[in-house]
Amino acid sequence: MNIKAICTDIDGTLLNKDRVLSPRLLRAIAKLPPDFPIILASSRMPAAMRHLLADMGRSGSPLISYNGGYIIDDLADTDRVLDNVDIDLDLCEQLTWLGKNTEIHFSLYHGEEWYEPQYDFWAEREAVNTKVQPVIKSAEKVFSKWKSESKGAHKVMCMGSAAEIDHFYHQALEKMGDHLHLYRSKDTYIEIAPKSISKASALGLLLEKKYDIRMEEVMAFGDNYNDIELLQQVGLGVAVANAREEVKAVANEISASNKEEGVALMIEKYLTGE
């Protein structure tokens, strides 16, 4: 198989048990040509991905953020936006209204903006995990700001107890499932994105606009529901061993877990000859 690019999820896939890039992975990446595309595709915001590019020595590479809703060329002086699809503001407001009598915590994202209603347990944990600090602002004030700027959210993230999240998920799916992707990344998390985008659609667009590479020439890695389409549509879709069973079912190959160098093993096997 002639693999010309890598596209990989981050959390639960690329990062190890310490939520960093392992030395073995960095060594494997360093053996690839400098112009070999390594494309990060995540539900994270761009600012939570750039430090990983820097660690890999790949600063300036394009980023697929917000599950495909915001694709950028991360250039040195200014970002070039290749695609920009957000959630309509009225849907954002409906989501927060659904959760108004619950303890569910809502995080709101657009581009480089991340808003939290307060810096509580949920916000602090996300800040530690992503190495980014949020702006503290109520949803009402965020929506007022976005309304004046004619934009919505690239991502709405809901965090809370497993019981409340499960109930909210089914309510939101019933009322807005025709317009939104609702990903259960954990029992206590829901990541919400526009229905019209995915990591797979974003990769296809990026390859078309920036590279002379076909989807069939990409090796992709993932572990969760939002990686399924991506693994199905590339030439070599790899699920790490800790992936959900639905992800493993569509993968061409299953590697070791993220804690056991799953991505590094496949780079060595297919690209560096080790």
Side-chain angles (χ1 to χ4, degrees):
M1 182 177 293
N2 187 18
I3 298 169
K4 296 183 178 179
I6 290 170
C7 183
T8 181
D9 172 55
I10 295 174
D11 298 286
T13 301
L14 191 68
L15 304 184
N16 65 12
K17 63 181 177 62
D18 299 317
R19 302 185 70 86
V20 298
L21 303 172
S22 74
R24 180 175 178 178
L25 176 64
L26 292 175
R27 287 194 299 271
I29 290 170
K31 292 179 181 178
L32 298 173
D35 60 349
F36 186 95
I38 299 178
I39 301 162
L40 301 182
S42 175
S43 64
R44 290 185 176 208
M45 66 187 299
M49 302 167 74
R50 288 194 180 92
H51 67 278
L52 300 174
L53 289 180
D55 290 345
M56 293 189 292
R58 301 275 172 160
S59 295
S61 296
L63 292 169
I64 296 174
S65 57
Y66 300 122
N67 283 317
Y70 193 58
I71 311 170
I72 58 173
D73 253 351
D74 191 31
L75 307 175
D77 50 354
T78 183
D79 291 339
R80 181 165 68 104
V81 178
L82 302 179
D83 200 28
N84 177 11
V85 182
D86 58 20
I87 302 169
D88 288 343
L89 193 57
D90 64 329
L91 289 174
C92 297
E93 291 174 330
Q94 287 180 52
L95 287 166
T96 57
W97 183 85
L98 269 182
K100 68 177 182 177
N101 294 320
T102 72
E103 297 298 317
I104 291 174
H105 179 108
F106 286 88
S107 303
L108 302 170
Y109 297 83
H110 182 99
E112 302 293 350
E113 303 170 30
W114 171 25
Y115 298 104
E116 295 284 353
Q118 64 270 336
Y119 198 74
D120 59 7
F121 163 81
W122 299 107
E124 182 179 9
R125 185 161 79 169
E126 196 64 17
V128 169
N129 288 343
T130 62
K131 298 180 171 57
V132 181
Q133 288 295 319
V135 173
I136 306 304
K137 185 174 289 193
S138 70
E140 291 78 10
K141 289 183 178 179
V142 174
F143 294 153
S144 177
K145 175 181 182 293
W146 284 351
K147 186 174 182 179
S148 69
E149 297 168 347
S150 299
K151 63 188 184 186
H154 283 122
K155 181 175 79 168
V156 177
M157 186 158 67
C158 307
M159 298 175 284
S161 70
E164 279 200 320
I165 286 293
D166 189 64
H167 181 69
F168 179 87
Y169 171 81
H170 287 99
Q171 279 193 310
L173 188 64
E174 179 183 352
K175 295 177 183 295
M176 289 168 273
D178 289 342
H179 306 287
L180 300 173
H181 280 303
L182 293 101
Y183 301 107
R184 294 291 299 274
S185 50
K186 298 180 182 178
D187 288 345
T188 53
Y189 280 62
I190 306 171
E191 293 175 318
I192 304 173
K195 191 81 168 185
S196 60
I197 57 92
S198 69
K199 292 182 181 181
S201 65
L203 177 61
L205 182 64
L206 178 58
L207 295 179
E208 178 186 335
K209 288 191 172 185
K210 187 172 174 65
Y211 301 106
D212 184 22
I213 297 173
R214 295 177 292 113
M215 291 285 279
E216 294 80 6
E217 297 171 317
V218 177
M219 177 166 60
F221 298 90
D223 75 306
N224 219 322
Y225 297 124
N226 57 342
D227 299 312
I228 288 176
E229 287 183 45
L230 177 64
L231 300 196
Q232 286 177 317
Q233 294 186 29
V234 298
L236 182 58
V238 181
V240 285
N242 53 290
R244 294 184 181 272
E245 291 304 314
E246 295 90 335
V247 182
K248 293 179 183 178
V250 304
N252 301 111
E253 194 161 338
I254 299 172
S255 187
S257 74
N258 67 310
K259 298 177 181 179
E260 298 170 324
E261 309 287 358
V263 175
L265 282 167
M266 295 298 287
I267 293 175
E268 292 165 358
K269 177 179 178 179
Y270 284 99
L271 296 171
T272 63
E274 296 184 7

